Amino acid sequence: MSYTVDPAIQAVFDKLLADPKIRKALAFIDRDQADKVAEQKEMVLVHGAPFKEREKRSPMYKEKLEKYGAVDCFIDKHDNAFGYVRGGARPVIVFEGHLDTVFPEETPLAITEKNGRIYCPGIGDDTAGLANVLALLRAVKHAGLEPVGTLMFGGTAGEEGEGDIRGIKGLLEDHKDIAAVVNVEPGATGNIVFGAVGSRRYEFIFRGPGGHSWSRYGLPSPIHALGRAIAKMADVEPPANPKTTYTVGTVAGGTSVNSIALEARMKLDMRSMAMESLEELEKTMLKIVDDAVAEENTFRKASGEKLTVEKKKIGDRPAGDQPEDAPIVQALWAAIAAIGKEPKLLPPSSTNANAAISRKIPGVVLRTGGDAGGEHALEEWFDPRGSEEGVKTSLLMAFALAGLKGVTEPIKLK
């Protein structure tokens, strides 16, 4: 596609590429590739089970940040693990991968390799991002690079599923001086995500008296109410523009085939590129649930018993957008082009970058390079060939956004 980078931003990258220390760091990244891959394989065998980051992965990552020269390293109350490469007080630029995977701690973790691919649950998403950030830190320290501002390197907790990007939300809430966030995820080097798909997620728990299907026939049924709700939801047509979607992802409940259920549950996922559309869909779905319960209670009113429903919000990822020519997007485009790859703007996605973009803090998703597939499946794989490109892109982005002492000033982000 045709895309224009501001000459002032392009000039920053030209200066960086001409700098001897940057060239030293780029050469180190090539030599460090085998160590990066070995560390990625080491880390994937440390469980990143949801809501269990503090037990294993957060301490592991903090120790690695300290080992490679980050200062003032910490694990915060959100289970994030971060450290600093300090320059001046501002700007503060965050580079992060997420510590958690989707796999519960009882999931067997073992590495197999075939045709250049590494197979293991979590090997790509987002152990690849964590390995990228550590390799970036090593390159910075090896070459003695000093930012004008300050770089924060780390791993965030709770990106996946019901973690609801809690780690990055908490980090941005606690550190009001953060000027930009670069979220590192597996994928092709040239791909750029700069928009945020918002989501709202609910668990609905329908409860009733329950009883025998013959002797207590006529009682209101939680499962019947749940069915009424799903049928009504299935008829909802959300707007196509802005794209808005929903699905009932899981249902559960009942005791036996000949019992009127005591309880039934379902989980609903709603997404949109615009908060207004998401909130309108949320109102519609909540009313449908209330109406379904009322209808079941009315239909079975002769029993004198009533159902109730508990509505638990289990996810709230804010939507957001920024112009495709925002300075941080131009910078990532220029960084990718600088290492000889072809940049490509992708549609909005749902990532840690949501937290920044929705707060009007510049944020992008930077890809690790290499190749990946099978995310969230036991057959997940990562092909590290070419993943040094993601570290090189990260290096150039870091010193374009934070500045390099004696060489460039930080790019103006707003």
Side-chain angles (χ1 to χ4, degrees):
M1 64 170 289
S2 176
Y3 190 88
T4 302
V5 174
D6 186 286
I9 293 176
Q10 185 59 56
V12 168
F13 285 90
D14 293 341
K15 289 179 181 178
L16 290 174
L17 289 171
D19 181 73
K21 286 187 176 181
I22 290 288
R23 294 202 301 270
K24 181 179 179 180
L26 291 171
F28 172 82
I29 289 168
D30 284 327
R31 298 195 305 273
D32 188 56
Q33 171 71 352
D35 288 339
K36 175 176 73 70
V37 175
E39 187 163 58
Q40 184 175 342
K41 290 193 284 187
E42 172 199 336
M43 290 192 294
V44 78
L45 298 178
V46 178
H47 258 298
F51 300 99
K52 297 290 185 71
E53 297 94 337
R54 181 174 289 270
E55 294 179 9
K56 294 180 180 179
R57 273 210 167 185
S58 300
M60 171 201 72
Y61 209 68
K62 176 176 177 284
E63 288 177 8
K64 288 184 175 294
L65 291 168
E66 291 170 336
K67 175 183 177 181
Y68 299 134
V71 300
D72 301 327
C73 297
F74 63 88
I75 297 173
D76 65 17
K77 63 186 179 183
H78 314 289
D79 303 334
N80 300 315
F82 271 85
Y84 294 88
V85 174
R86 292 194 182 278
R90 293 176 185 273
V92 177
I93 309 296
V94 170
F95 277 76
E96 57 87 21
H98 62 83
L99 294 163
D100 58 321
T101 72
V102 299
F103 303 99
E105 58 186 340
E106 63 269 18
T107 306
L109 297 178
I111 290 172
T112 58
E113 298 187 50
K114 184 179 179 181
N115 298 328
R117 292 179 175 181
I118 307 166
Y119 291 82
C120 189
I123 187 65
D125 188 14
D126 189 27
T127 311
L130 296 174
N132 176 293
V133 173
L134 293 176
L136 170 58
L137 175 58
R138 287 196 296 274
V140 168
K141 288 301 182 179
H142 174 81
L145 296 167
E146 298 179 70
V148 174
T150 287
L151 295 167
M152 287 183 74
F153 295 135
T156 51
E159 193 273 351
E160 298 286 7
E162 292 178 24
D164 201 32
I165 63 172
R166 63 186 177 89
I168 191 67
K169 284 179 179 176
L171 189 78
L172 292 172
E173 188 64 31
D174 295 347
H175 299 267
K176 302 294 189 183
D177 56 349
I178 291 173
V181 174
V182 178
N183 165 229
V184 186
E185 293 267 6
T189 308
N191 291 342
I192 300 172
V193 172
F194 62 98
V197 174
S199 66
R200 295 272 169 89
R201 292 170 177 167
Y202 279 85
E203 181 177 27
F204 300 106
I205 308 170
F206 301 81
R207 297 187 176 96
H212 195 280
S213 63
W214 175 260
S215 62
R216 299 300 308 279
Y217 179 76
L219 291 176
S221 167
I223 289 179
H224 292 184
L226 180 149
R228 292 176 188 272
I230 292 177
K232 292 174 183 293
M233 288 177 177
D235 290 334
V236 172
E237 294 187 12
N241 186 22
K243 184 177 179 180
T244 304
T245 68
Y246 69 90
T247 189
V248 176
T250 65
V251 295
T255 305
S256 69
V257 68
N258 59 337
S259 298
I260 298 167
L262 281 163
E263 183 177 289
R265 298 168 177 251
M266 68 177 181
K267 290 182 179 179
L268 172 69
D269 175 86
M270 300 170 283
R271 300 185 181 221
S272 182
M273 294 170 60
M275 285 305 298
E276 295 81 1
S277 296
L278 185 60
E279 289 167 357
E280 189 62 34
L281 179 63
E282 179 185 31
K283 290 177 185 176
T284 297
M285 295 307 198
L286 292 176
K287 184 176 186 302
I288 282 174
V289 168
D290 287 335
D291 288 349
V293 170
E295 287 180 12
E296 179 66 9
N297 283 333
T298 299
F299 189 70
R300 302 294 185 185
K301 64 182 179 180
S303 71
E305 302 278 2
K306 287 192 174 182
L307 301 177
T308 61
V309 62
E310 179 183 359
K311 293 170 278 194
K312 295 170 61 177
K313 184 184 286 187
I314 58 174
D316 188 356
R317 293 193 183 201
D321 201 5
Q322 58 191 338
E324 67 176 37
D325 63 350
I328 194 170
V329 182
Q330 291 190 53
L332 184 50
W333 184 285
I336 293 166
I339 65 163
K341 304 300 291 185
E342 184 176 350
K344 180 181 179 181
L345 300 180
L346 294 189
S349 185
S350 180
T351 67
N352 267 349
N354 284 44
I357 295 169
S358 65
R359 288 170 167 81
K360 305 302 182 184
I361 297 170
V364 287
V365 180
L366 183 152
R367 299 301 184 178
T368 59
D371 197 7
E375 289 89 347
H376 297 191
L378 295 176
E379 298 77 23
E380 184 173 354
W381 58 267
F382 184 79
D383 187 336
R385 289 171 290 191
S387 59
E388 70 278 4
E389 296 167 353
V391 186
K392 291 179 179 179
T393 306
S394 299
L395 179 83
L396 295 175
M397 274 292 282
F399 290 95
L401 300 180
L404 178 60
K405 280 188 179 179
V407 180
T408 63
E409 289 298 308
I411 286 173
K412 291 182 180 179
L413 292 169
K414 293 183 178 180

